[in-house]
Amino acid sequence: DPCEGAYDEALERCRVGVLGAVRGGHDLHGGDADDDGVRLARTGNPVVEPPVRVALLRLRERGSVPASPSAEVKTFSYRAMDTEFSVSFGLTEDEALCGSAAAACFARIDQIERLLTKFSDTSDVAVIGALADGANTLVTPETMEVLVASAQICAATDGAFDPTVEARNFGELVLDVEHFRVGVKKGPVKLDFGGIGKGYALDECAKILRGGQFELTNWLLNGGTSTLLASGAPSLDETGWPLGVGGVWKSRTKTPTVLRLSSGALSGSGFELRGEHVRDVRRGGAAVKWAQSWSRASSATVADALSTAVLALDAREIERTCERLEAKVLVARHQAPFFDRFRDPLRWFGGNP
């Protein structure tokens, strides 16, 4: 069990919440306000185990997040990878299983962070970065999976996604997939999986939720309010999880800005969400082709990496990338509101969602 030994630690750190609907200015009394001004009300009775704090909360709408969540959806939150992860479960899922499944997911996220972080001298990323020319090292299956996915997305985006960022020497790595060995032709090769790691963590959590131990089918995984992975729906009378896109362009577009996602992933990126750190690794400087982007793909790994990479791609490149990765992309144009009467500020590539 990859989560063995980490379960108790994750349970101790995670916060369990029940997602409450907050509509029409209704205020939940008796708790602390979050940064959206929504009140967090404490019930005082843990639903899983004593270390777990129970709260009513509303997920914040930033980028791509639940747009209108149903009442009493069970949500569990956890901080890792310098962001907030959460998993929400539909009304039909067993409450006792949900708590255990969430803790297992959070333990898995911790494990992946230890392998992929660039801030630890013992991580696979650090070991690869320290390799001398011609040397190689054994890596974990997880690290190899992320490297292979990075290579595929790098090729599909014509180099707009590159985990070596501005050094652009990803091609100096030699991957022996069969034996889980990574070599360096000419180094150092400094990897940064910040643009793909959270998505990969969500995909790994999905394996736990779908697996034989839990067999859960209605859930929504959220990685830092920018990448989501969905299965099923919040309730029997809904066709999927309602997720919002469009950002500040919602009031200016005729494009639908609420998607019902019952499978696959959705990720958002742009200056509104991530600021000046969104880089065009091919040309240097900020990625300014589009103001913001959202990507849909079957995996969170692809959606996470793609949403940032497309900010540096032109329209033809995005079309090719969507075809290669079987993905869909929504972009926001840089244009003043005056021009909205002539051209919608939002545009889908790869077909309608």
Side-chain angles (χ1 to χ4, degrees), residues 279-344:
R279 310 293 292 174
D280 184 341
V281 297
R282 298 182 300 177
R283 302 176 180 87
V288 294
K289 290 286 186 181
W290 311 95
Q292 196 166 340
S293 68
W294 297 264
S295 60
R296 280 197 62 179
S298 59
S299 78
T301 304
V302 171
D304 188 15
L306 185 57
S307 65
T308 301
V310 297
L311 292 171
L313 299 178
D314 62 32
R316 290 184 179 180
E317 290 174 321
I318 294 177
E319 288 285 8
R320 290 199 302 267
T321 296
C322 288
E323 183 178 352
R324 292 165 178 169
L325 294 175
E326 298 182 353
K328 302 179 189 297
V329 167
L330 175 68
V331 296
R333 295 182 170 98
H334 289 288
Q335 68 182 36
F338 170 80
F339 293 100
D340 294 349
R341 69 182 72 179
F342 308 110
R343 183 178 67 176
D344 198 295

Short mmCIF file of all heavy atoms in Angstrom, two decimals, residues 279-344:
data_model
loop_
_atom_site.label_atom_id
_atom_site.label_comp_id
_atom_site.label_asym_id
_atom_site.label_seq_id
_atom_site.Cartn_x
_atom_site.Cartn_y
_atom_site.Cartn_z
N ARG A 279 5.39 31.96 -17.94
CA ARG A 279 6.50 32.29 -18.83
C ARG A 279 6.34 31.63 -20.19
O ARG A 279 5.80 30.52 -20.31
CB ARG A 279 7.83 31.84 -18.22
CG ARG A 279 8.06 32.28 -16.79
CD ARG A 279 8.21 33.77 -16.67
NE ARG A 279 9.45 34.24 -17.30
CZ ARG A 279 9.78 35.52 -17.43
NH1 ARG A 279 8.93 36.46 -17.03
NH2 ARG A 279 10.93 35.86 -17.96
N ASP A 280 6.82 32.30 -21.22
CA ASP A 280 6.96 31.72 -22.55
C ASP A 280 8.37 31.15 -22.62
O ASP A 280 9.34 31.89 -22.84
CB ASP A 280 6.74 32.79 -23.61
CG ASP A 280 6.79 32.23 -25.03
OD1 ASP A 280 7.33 31.11 -25.22
OD2 ASP A 280 6.29 32.90 -25.95
N VAL A 281 8.48 29.84 -22.40
CA VAL A 281 9.81 29.25 -22.29
C VAL A 281 10.54 29.19 -23.63
O VAL A 281 11.76 29.06 -23.68
CB VAL A 281 9.73 27.82 -21.68
CG1 VAL A 281 9.18 27.88 -20.28
CG2 VAL A 281 8.89 26.90 -22.56
N ARG A 282 9.80 29.32 -24.74
CA ARG A 282 10.45 29.26 -26.05
C ARG A 282 11.09 30.59 -26.43
O ARG A 282 12.14 30.62 -27.07
CB ARG A 282 9.45 28.85 -27.12
CG ARG A 282 8.86 27.46 -26.94
CD ARG A 282 7.91 27.09 -28.06
NE ARG A 282 6.79 28.02 -28.16
CZ ARG A 282 5.84 27.95 -29.09
NH1 ARG A 282 5.91 27.01 -30.02
NH2 ARG A 282 4.85 28.82 -29.12
N ARG A 283 10.45 31.68 -26.05
CA ARG A 283 10.92 32.99 -26.48
C ARG A 283 11.48 33.84 -25.33
O ARG A 283 12.09 34.87 -25.57
CB ARG A 283 9.77 33.77 -27.15
CG ARG A 283 9.17 33.04 -28.35
CD ARG A 283 7.97 33.80 -28.91
NE ARG A 283 7.39 33.12 -30.05
CZ ARG A 283 6.46 32.17 -29.97
NH1 ARG A 283 6.03 31.81 -28.78
NH2 ARG A 283 5.98 31.60 -31.05
N GLY A 284 11.25 33.38 -24.09
CA GLY A 284 11.66 34.18 -22.94
C GLY A 284 10.63 35.24 -22.64
O GLY A 284 9.87 35.68 -23.51
N GLY A 285 10.56 35.67 -21.41
CA GLY A 285 9.59 36.69 -21.02
C GLY A 285 8.24 36.09 -20.70
O GLY A 285 8.06 34.87 -20.67
N ALA A 286 7.28 36.97 -20.46
CA ALA A 286 5.94 36.53 -20.07
C ALA A 286 5.18 35.95 -21.27
O ALA A 286 5.39 36.36 -22.41
CB ALA A 286 5.16 37.71 -19.48
N ALA A 287 4.32 34.97 -20.97
CA ALA A 287 3.46 34.39 -22.01
C ALA A 287 2.24 35.28 -22.18
O ALA A 287 1.36 35.33 -21.31
CB ALA A 287 3.04 32.98 -21.60
N VAL A 288 2.16 35.99 -23.32
CA VAL A 288 1.14 37.03 -23.46
C VAL A 288 0.25 36.84 -24.70
O VAL A 288 -0.45 37.75 -25.10
CB VAL A 288 1.79 38.43 -23.53
CG1 VAL A 288 2.47 38.76 -22.22
CG2 VAL A 288 2.80 38.52 -24.68
N LYS A 289 0.26 35.65 -25.29
CA LYS A 289 -0.60 35.43 -26.46
C LYS A 289 -2.08 35.59 -26.11
O LYS A 289 -2.87 36.11 -26.90
CB LYS A 289 -0.35 34.03 -27.03
CG LYS A 289 1.00 33.83 -27.69
CD LYS A 289 1.06 34.50 -29.05
CE LYS A 289 2.36 34.17 -29.76
NZ LYS A 289 2.45 34.83 -31.09
N TRP A 290 -2.44 35.11 -24.91
CA TRP A 290 -3.82 35.16 -24.47
C TRP A 290 -3.85 35.64 -23.03
O TRP A 290 -2.90 35.48 -22.28
CB TRP A 290 -4.47 33.77 -24.57
CG TRP A 290 -4.25 33.12 -25.88
CD1 TRP A 290 -3.27 32.22 -26.19
CD2 TRP A 290 -4.99 33.33 -27.09
NE1 TRP A 290 -3.36 31.84 -27.50
CE2 TRP A 290 -4.41 32.51 -28.08
CE3 TRP A 290 -6.10 34.11 -27.43
CZ2 TRP A 290 -4.90 32.46 -29.39
CZ3 TRP A 290 -6.59 34.06 -28.73
CH2 TRP A 290 -5.99 33.25 -29.69
N ALA A 291 -4.98 36.22 -22.63
CA ALA A 291 -5.08 36.75 -21.28
C ALA A 291 -5.28 35.65 -20.24
O ALA A 291 -4.79 35.74 -19.12
CB ALA A 291 -6.24 37.75 -21.20
N GLN A 292 -6.01 34.60 -20.63
CA GLN A 292 -6.27 33.49 -19.72
C GLN A 292 -6.66 32.28 -20.54
O GLN A 292 -7.09 32.40 -21.69
CB GLN A 292 -7.37 33.84 -18.71
CG GLN A 292 -7.43 32.90 -17.51
CD GLN A 292 -8.28 33.46 -16.38
OE1 GLN A 292 -8.52 34.67 -16.31
NE2 GLN A 292 -8.72 32.60 -15.48
N SER A 293 -6.53 31.10 -19.94
CA SER A 293 -6.88 29.88 -20.67
C SER A 293 -7.44 28.85 -19.71
O SER A 293 -7.16 28.86 -18.51
CB SER A 293 -5.66 29.30 -21.38
OG SER A 293 -4.72 28.81 -20.44
N TRP A 294 -8.27 27.95 -20.29
CA TRP A 294 -8.80 26.80 -19.57
C TRP A 294 -8.66 25.60 -20.50
O TRP A 294 -8.88 25.71 -21.71
CB TRP A 294 -10.27 27.00 -19.22
CG TRP A 294 -10.53 28.14 -18.29
CD1 TRP A 294 -10.67 28.10 -16.94
CD2 TRP A 294 -10.67 29.53 -18.66
NE1 TRP A 294 -10.89 29.36 -16.44
CE2 TRP A 294 -10.89 30.25 -17.47
CE3 TRP A 294 -10.62 30.22 -19.88
CZ2 TRP A 294 -11.07 31.63 -17.47
CZ3 TRP A 294 -10.79 31.59 -19.88
CH2 TRP A 294 -11.01 32.28 -18.68
N SER A 295 -8.30 24.46 -19.95
CA SER A 295 -8.13 23.27 -20.78
C SER A 295 -8.92 22.12 -20.21
O SER A 295 -9.02 21.95 -18.99
CB SER A 295 -6.65 22.90 -20.89
OG SER A 295 -6.10 22.61 -19.60
N ARG A 296 -9.50 21.31 -21.11
CA ARG A 296 -10.20 20.09 -20.75
C ARG A 296 -9.47 18.91 -21.35
O ARG A 296 -9.12 18.92 -22.53
CB ARG A 296 -11.64 20.11 -21.26
CG ARG A 296 -12.60 20.91 -20.41
CD ARG A 296 -14.04 20.54 -20.74
NE ARG A 296 -14.29 19.12 -20.45
CZ ARG A 296 -15.48 18.53 -20.62
NH1 ARG A 296 -16.50 19.24 -21.07
NH2 ARG A 296 -15.65 17.26 -20.33
N ALA A 297 -9.25 17.87 -20.54
CA ALA A 297 -8.57 16.68 -21.01
C ALA A 297 -9.03 15.49 -20.18
O ALA A 297 -9.65 15.67 -19.12
CB ALA A 297 -7.05 16.85 -20.92
N SER A 298 -8.71 14.31 -20.63
CA SER A 298 -9.13 13.12 -19.89
C SER A 298 -8.35 12.97 -18.60
O SER A 298 -8.84 12.37 -17.64
CB SER A 298 -8.96 11.87 -20.75
OG SER A 298 -7.60 11.72 -21.16
N SER A 299 -7.13 13.51 -18.54
CA SER A 299 -6.32 13.41 -17.33
C SER A 299 -6.01 14.80 -16.79
O SER A 299 -5.87 15.77 -17.55
CB SER A 299 -5.01 12.66 -17.60
OG SER A 299 -4.08 13.49 -18.25
N ALA A 300 -5.87 14.89 -15.47
CA ALA A 300 -5.50 16.16 -14.84
C ALA A 300 -4.05 16.51 -15.15
O ALA A 300 -3.69 17.70 -15.18
CB ALA A 300 -5.72 16.08 -13.33
N THR A 301 -3.21 15.51 -15.37
CA THR A 301 -1.81 15.76 -15.72
C THR A 301 -1.72 16.59 -16.99
O THR A 301 -1.01 17.61 -17.05
CB THR A 301 -1.06 14.43 -15.91
OG1 THR A 301 -1.18 13.64 -14.73
CG2 THR A 301 0.40 14.67 -16.22
N VAL A 302 -2.45 16.18 -18.02
CA VAL A 302 -2.44 16.90 -19.29
C VAL A 302 -3.11 18.26 -19.15
O VAL A 302 -2.58 19.28 -19.62
CB VAL A 302 -3.13 16.07 -20.38
CG1 VAL A 302 -3.32 16.90 -21.66
CG2 VAL A 302 -2.32 14.83 -20.70
N ALA A 303 -4.26 18.31 -18.49
CA ALA A 303 -4.98 19.58 -18.36
C ALA A 303 -4.15 20.61 -17.62
O ALA A 303 -4.10 21.79 -18.00
CB ALA A 303 -6.31 19.35 -17.64
N ASP A 304 -3.47 20.20 -16.55
CA ASP A 304 -2.66 21.11 -15.75
C ASP A 304 -1.54 21.72 -16.59
O ASP A 304 -1.35 22.94 -16.62
CB ASP A 304 -2.09 20.35 -14.56
CG ASP A 304 -1.39 21.25 -13.56
OD1 ASP A 304 -1.57 22.48 -13.62
OD2 ASP A 304 -0.66 20.72 -12.69
N ALA A 305 -0.79 20.88 -17.28
CA ALA A 305 0.33 21.36 -18.08
C ALA A 305 -0.14 22.19 -19.27
O ALA A 305 0.46 23.21 -19.63
CB ALA A 305 1.18 20.19 -18.57
N LEU A 306 -1.24 21.78 -19.88
CA LEU A 306 -1.71 22.43 -21.11
C LEU A 306 -2.25 23.82 -20.85
O LEU A 306 -2.04 24.74 -21.66
CB LEU A 306 -2.78 21.56 -21.77
CG LEU A 306 -3.30 22.01 -23.13
CD1 LEU A 306 -2.17 22.14 -24.13
CD2 LEU A 306 -4.36 21.03 -23.63
N SER A 307 -2.93 24.02 -19.74
CA SER A 307 -3.57 25.32 -19.50
C SER A 307 -2.56 26.45 -19.44
O SER A 307 -2.86 27.59 -19.84
CB SER A 307 -4.39 25.29 -18.20
OG SER A 307 -3.55 25.10 -17.08
N THR A 308 -1.37 26.17 -18.96
CA THR A 308 -0.32 27.19 -18.93
C THR A 308 0.41 27.29 -20.26
O THR A 308 0.72 28.39 -20.74
CB THR A 308 0.69 26.90 -17.80
OG1 THR A 308 -0.01 26.88 -16.55
CG2 THR A 308 1.78 27.95 -17.74
N ALA A 309 0.69 26.14 -20.87
CA ALA A 309 1.45 26.13 -22.12
C ALA A 309 0.76 26.89 -23.24
O ALA A 309 1.40 27.59 -24.02
CB ALA A 309 1.73 24.69 -22.55
N VAL A 310 -0.58 26.79 -23.33
CA VAL A 310 -1.28 27.41 -24.45
C VAL A 310 -1.22 28.93 -24.41
O VAL A 310 -1.45 29.59 -25.43
CB VAL A 310 -2.75 26.95 -24.53
CG1 VAL A 310 -2.86 25.48 -24.76
CG2 VAL A 310 -3.52 27.36 -23.28
N LEU A 311 -0.91 29.51 -23.26
CA LEU A 311 -0.80 30.96 -23.19
C LEU A 311 0.31 31.49 -24.10
O LEU A 311 0.33 32.68 -24.43
CB LEU A 311 -0.55 31.40 -21.75
CG LEU A 311 -1.71 31.17 -20.78
CD1 LEU A 311 -1.27 31.45 -19.35
CD2 LEU A 311 -2.90 32.06 -21.14
N ALA A 312 1.23 30.61 -24.49
CA ALA A 312 2.33 31.01 -25.36
C ALA A 312 2.15 30.52 -26.79
O ALA A 312 3.04 30.73 -27.63
CB ALA A 312 3.65 30.47 -24.81
N LEU A 313 1.01 29.88 -27.10
CA LEU A 313 0.77 29.33 -28.44
C LEU A 313 -0.15 30.23 -29.24
O LEU A 313 -1.07 30.84 -28.69
CB LEU A 313 0.15 27.95 -28.33
CG LEU A 313 0.95 26.85 -27.62
CD1 LEU A 313 0.14 25.56 -27.56
CD2 LEU A 313 2.28 26.62 -28.31
N ASP A 314 0.07 30.29 -30.55
CA ASP A 314 -0.88 31.00 -31.41
C ASP A 314 -2.04 30.07 -31.75
O ASP A 314 -2.06 28.89 -31.37
CB ASP A 314 -0.21 31.56 -32.66
CG ASP A 314 0.40 30.48 -33.56
OD1 ASP A 314 -0.14 29.36 -33.61
OD2 ASP A 314 1.42 30.76 -34.22
N ALA A 315 -3.02 30.57 -32.48
CA ALA A 315 -4.25 29.83 -32.74
C ALA A 315 -3.98 28.51 -33.46
O ALA A 315 -4.54 27.46 -33.11
CB ALA A 315 -5.22 30.68 -33.53
N ARG A 316 -3.13 28.53 -34.49
CA ARG A 316 -2.85 27.30 -35.24
C ARG A 316 -2.15 26.28 -34.36
O ARG A 316 -2.42 25.07 -34.43
CB ARG A 316 -2.01 27.62 -36.47
CG ARG A 316 -2.75 28.39 -37.55
CD ARG A 316 -1.89 28.59 -38.79
NE ARG A 316 -2.60 29.31 -39.84
CZ ARG A 316 -2.08 29.61 -41.02
NH1 ARG A 316 -0.81 29.23 -41.31
NH2 ARG A 316 -2.79 30.26 -41.91
N GLU A 317 -1.24 26.73 -33.52
CA GLU A 317 -0.52 25.83 -32.62
C GLU A 317 -1.47 25.20 -31.60
O GLU A 317 -1.34 24.02 -31.27
CB GLU A 317 0.61 26.57 -31.92
CG GLU A 317 1.77 26.95 -32.82
CD GLU A 317 2.80 27.82 -32.12
OE1 GLU A 317 2.39 28.70 -31.32
OE2 GLU A 317 4.01 27.62 -32.36
N ILE A 318 -2.43 25.98 -31.13
CA ILE A 318 -3.40 25.43 -30.18
C ILE A 318 -4.25 24.35 -30.85
O ILE A 318 -4.51 23.29 -30.25
CB ILE A 318 -4.29 26.54 -29.61
CG1 ILE A 318 -3.47 27.51 -28.76
CG2 ILE A 318 -5.41 25.94 -28.75
CD1 ILE A 318 -4.26 28.68 -28.20
N GLU A 319 -4.69 24.59 -32.09
CA GLU A 319 -5.47 23.58 -32.80
C GLU A 319 -4.69 22.28 -32.94
O GLU A 319 -5.22 21.19 -32.71
CB GLU A 319 -5.88 24.11 -34.18
CG GLU A 319 -6.96 25.19 -34.16
CD GLU A 319 -8.35 24.62 -33.87
OE1 GLU A 319 -8.46 23.42 -33.54
OE2 GLU A 319 -9.31 25.39 -33.98
N ARG A 320 -3.40 22.37 -33.32
CA ARG A 320 -2.58 21.17 -33.47
C ARG A 320 -2.41 20.47 -32.12
O ARG A 320 -2.47 19.24 -32.04
CB ARG A 320 -1.21 21.53 -34.05
CG ARG A 320 -1.23 21.95 -35.50
CD ARG A 320 0.16 21.83 -36.11
NE ARG A 320 1.15 22.63 -35.38
CZ ARG A 320 1.48 23.87 -35.71
NH1 ARG A 320 0.84 24.48 -36.71
NH2 ARG A 320 2.40 24.53 -35.03
N THR A 321 -2.19 21.25 -31.07
CA THR A 321 -1.98 20.67 -29.75
C THR A 321 -3.23 19.94 -29.27
O THR A 321 -3.15 18.83 -28.72
CB THR A 321 -1.59 21.76 -28.75
OG1 THR A 321 -0.33 22.33 -29.14
CG2 THR A 321 -1.46 21.20 -27.34
N CYS A 322 -4.40 20.54 -29.47
CA CYS A 322 -5.65 19.91 -29.07
C CYS A 322 -5.85 18.58 -29.80
O CYS A 322 -6.31 17.59 -29.20
CB CYS A 322 -6.83 20.83 -29.34
SG CYS A 322 -6.93 22.25 -28.23
N GLU A 323 -5.50 18.55 -31.07
CA GLU A 323 -5.63 17.31 -31.85
C GLU A 323 -4.66 16.25 -31.34
O GLU A 323 -5.03 15.08 -31.19
CB GLU A 323 -5.38 17.60 -33.33
CG GLU A 323 -5.56 16.39 -34.22
CD GLU A 323 -5.36 16.72 -35.68
OE1 GLU A 323 -5.24 17.92 -36.01
OE2 GLU A 323 -5.34 15.77 -36.50
N ARG A 324 -3.43 16.64 -31.05
CA ARG A 324 -2.43 15.68 -30.60
C ARG A 324 -2.75 15.09 -29.23
O ARG A 324 -2.52 13.91 -28.97
CB ARG A 324 -1.06 16.36 -30.55
CG ARG A 324 -0.49 16.74 -31.90
CD ARG A 324 0.67 17.72 -31.74
NE ARG A 324 1.26 18.08 -33.01
CZ ARG A 324 2.14 19.08 -33.16
NH1 ARG A 324 2.51 19.80 -32.11
NH2 ARG A 324 2.64 19.33 -34.35
N LEU A 325 -3.30 15.93 -28.34
CA LEU A 325 -3.56 15.49 -26.96
C LEU A 325 -5.02 15.14 -26.71
O LEU A 325 -5.39 14.79 -25.59
CB LEU A 325 -3.14 16.60 -25.98
CG LEU A 325 -1.65 16.91 -25.92
CD1 LEU A 325 -1.38 18.10 -25.01
CD2 LEU A 325 -0.85 15.69 -25.46
N GLU A 326 -5.86 15.23 -27.76
CA GLU A 326 -7.29 14.97 -27.63
C GLU A 326 -7.87 15.81 -26.50
O GLU A 326 -8.54 15.31 -25.59
CB GLU A 326 -7.56 13.48 -27.41
CG GLU A 326 -7.09 12.60 -28.56
CD GLU A 326 -7.40 11.13 -28.35
OE1 GLU A 326 -7.85 10.78 -27.22
OE2 GLU A 326 -7.20 10.34 -29.27
N ALA A 327 -7.59 17.09 -26.57
CA ALA A 327 -8.00 18.03 -25.53
C ALA A 327 -8.81 19.17 -26.14
O ALA A 327 -8.88 19.32 -27.37
CB ALA A 327 -6.78 18.58 -24.81
N LYS A 328 -9.42 19.96 -25.28
CA LYS A 328 -10.14 21.17 -25.68
C LYS A 328 -9.60 22.34 -24.87
O LYS A 328 -9.26 22.18 -23.70
CB LYS A 328 -11.65 21.01 -25.45
CG LYS A 328 -12.26 19.83 -26.19
CD LYS A 328 -13.74 19.72 -25.88
CE LYS A 328 -14.34 18.43 -26.44
NZ LYS A 328 -14.25 18.36 -27.90
N VAL A 329 -9.54 23.50 -25.51
CA VAL A 329 -8.97 24.68 -24.86
C VAL A 329 -9.88 25.87 -25.07
O VAL A 329 -10.37 26.12 -26.18
CB VAL A 329 -7.56 24.98 -25.42
CG1 VAL A 329 -7.09 26.37 -24.98
CG2 VAL A 329 -6.56 23.92 -24.97
N LEU A 330 -10.11 26.62 -23.99
CA LEU A 330 -10.83 27.90 -24.05
C LEU A 330 -9.85 29.01 -23.71
O LEU A 330 -9.14 28.92 -22.70
CB LEU A 330 -11.98 27.91 -23.04
CG LEU A 330 -12.77 29.22 -22.90
CD1 LEU A 330 -13.55 29.52 -24.18
CD2 LEU A 330 -13.70 29.16 -21.69
N VAL A 331 -9.77 30.04 -24.55
CA VAL A 331 -8.86 31.16 -24.29
C VAL A 331 -9.64 32.46 -24.24
O VAL A 331 -10.71 32.60 -24.84
CB VAL A 331 -7.76 31.27 -25.36
CG1 VAL A 331 -6.85 30.03 -25.34
CG2 VAL A 331 -8.35 31.48 -26.75
N ALA A 332 -9.08 33.41 -23.50
CA ALA A 332 -9.62 34.77 -23.43
C ALA A 332 -8.69 35.69 -24.20
O ALA A 332 -7.48 35.71 -23.98
CB ALA A 332 -9.75 35.23 -21.98
N ARG A 333 -9.27 36.44 -25.13
CA ARG A 333 -8.47 37.35 -25.94
C ARG A 333 -8.12 38.62 -25.17
O ARG A 333 -8.89 39.08 -24.32
CB ARG A 333 -9.23 37.74 -27.21
CG ARG A 333 -9.50 36.60 -28.18
CD ARG A 333 -10.22 37.14 -29.41
NE ARG A 333 -10.31 36.16 -30.48
CZ ARG A 333 -11.39 35.41 -30.72
NH1 ARG A 333 -12.46 35.54 -29.94
NH2 ARG A 333 -11.41 34.55 -31.72
N HIS A 334 -6.98 39.19 -25.53
CA HIS A 334 -6.64 40.54 -25.05
C HIS A 334 -7.42 41.53 -25.92
O HIS A 334 -7.04 41.81 -27.06
CB HIS A 334 -5.14 40.81 -25.23
CG HIS A 334 -4.27 40.04 -24.30
ND1 HIS A 334 -4.18 40.31 -22.95
CD2 HIS A 334 -3.43 38.99 -24.52
CE1 HIS A 334 -3.32 39.49 -22.38
NE2 HIS A 334 -2.86 38.67 -23.31
N GLN A 335 -8.53 42.03 -25.43
CA GLN A 335 -9.26 43.03 -26.19
C GLN A 335 -10.10 43.89 -25.25
O GLN A 335 -10.57 43.43 -24.20
CB GLN A 335 -10.16 42.39 -27.25
CG GLN A 335 -11.34 41.61 -26.75
CD GLN A 335 -12.14 40.98 -27.89
OE1 GLN A 335 -11.58 40.54 -28.90
NE2 GLN A 335 -13.45 40.97 -27.77
N ALA A 336 -10.26 45.14 -25.63
CA ALA A 336 -11.08 46.07 -24.84
C ALA A 336 -12.55 45.70 -24.98
O ALA A 336 -12.97 45.15 -26.01
CB ALA A 336 -10.84 47.50 -25.32
N PRO A 337 -13.38 46.00 -23.98
CA PRO A 337 -14.80 45.66 -24.04
C PRO A 337 -15.50 46.21 -25.28
O PRO A 337 -16.48 45.61 -25.75
CB PRO A 337 -15.36 46.28 -22.76
CG PRO A 337 -14.21 46.29 -21.80
CD PRO A 337 -13.00 46.55 -22.66
N PHE A 338 -15.01 47.33 -25.83
CA PHE A 338 -15.64 47.92 -27.02
C PHE A 338 -15.70 46.92 -28.16
O PHE A 338 -16.67 46.90 -28.94
CB PHE A 338 -14.86 49.16 -27.44
CG PHE A 338 -15.28 49.72 -28.78
CD1 PHE A 338 -16.42 50.52 -28.90
CD2 PHE A 338 -14.56 49.41 -29.93
CE1 PHE A 338 -16.81 51.00 -30.14
CE2 PHE A 338 -14.95 49.90 -31.17
CZ PHE A 338 -16.07 50.70 -31.27
N PHE A 339 -14.68 46.06 -28.30
CA PHE A 339 -14.60 45.14 -29.44
C PHE A 339 -15.45 43.89 -29.25
O PHE A 339 -15.57 43.08 -30.18
CB PHE A 339 -13.15 44.74 -29.69
CG PHE A 339 -12.29 45.88 -30.16
CD1 PHE A 339 -11.46 46.55 -29.28
CD2 PHE A 339 -12.33 46.29 -31.48
CE1 PHE A 339 -10.67 47.60 -29.70
CE2 PHE A 339 -11.54 47.35 -31.92
CZ PHE A 339 -10.71 48.02 -31.03
N ASP A 340 -16.06 43.71 -28.06
CA ASP A 340 -16.86 42.51 -27.81
C ASP A 340 -18.05 42.43 -28.74
O ASP A 340 -18.55 41.34 -29.03
CB ASP A 340 -17.34 42.49 -26.36
CG ASP A 340 -16.20 42.35 -25.36
OD1 ASP A 340 -15.08 42.07 -25.80
OD2 ASP A 340 -16.46 42.50 -24.15
N ARG A 341 -18.54 43.58 -29.24
CA ARG A 341 -19.69 43.57 -30.15
C ARG A 341 -19.33 42.96 -31.51
O ARG A 341 -20.22 42.52 -32.25
CB ARG A 341 -20.23 44.99 -30.33
CG ARG A 341 -19.30 45.93 -31.11
CD ARG A 341 -19.86 47.34 -31.22
NE ARG A 341 -19.77 48.03 -29.93
CZ ARG A 341 -20.17 49.27 -29.75
NH1 ARG A 341 -20.71 49.95 -30.76
NH2 ARG A 341 -20.05 49.84 -28.57
N PHE A 342 -18.06 42.96 -31.84
CA PHE A 342 -17.60 42.43 -33.12
C PHE A 342 -17.02 41.01 -33.00
O PHE A 342 -17.06 40.25 -33.97
CB PHE A 342 -16.53 43.35 -33.72
CG PHE A 342 -16.95 44.78 -33.79
CD1 PHE A 342 -16.36 45.73 -32.96
CD2 PHE A 342 -17.94 45.20 -34.66
CE1 PHE A 342 -16.74 47.06 -33.01
CE2 PHE A 342 -18.33 46.53 -34.72
CZ PHE A 342 -17.73 47.47 -33.89
N ARG A 343 -16.47 40.69 -31.81
CA ARG A 343 -15.80 39.40 -31.65
C ARG A 343 -15.88 38.99 -30.18
O ARG A 343 -15.54 39.76 -29.28
CB ARG A 343 -14.33 39.51 -32.09
CG ARG A 343 -13.55 38.22 -32.02
CD ARG A 343 -12.12 38.42 -32.52
NE ARG A 343 -11.36 39.29 -31.62
CZ ARG A 343 -10.07 39.58 -31.77
NH1 ARG A 343 -9.41 39.08 -32.81
NH2 ARG A 343 -9.46 40.37 -30.92
N ASP A 344 -16.36 37.77 -29.93
CA ASP A 344 -16.48 37.29 -28.55
C ASP A 344 -15.08 37.21 -27.92
O ASP A 344 -14.14 36.74 -28.56
CB ASP A 344 -17.13 35.91 -28.54
CG ASP A 344 -17.66 35.55 -27.16
OD1 ASP A 344 -16.84 35.41 -26.24
OD2 ASP A 344 -18.89 35.41 -27.01
#
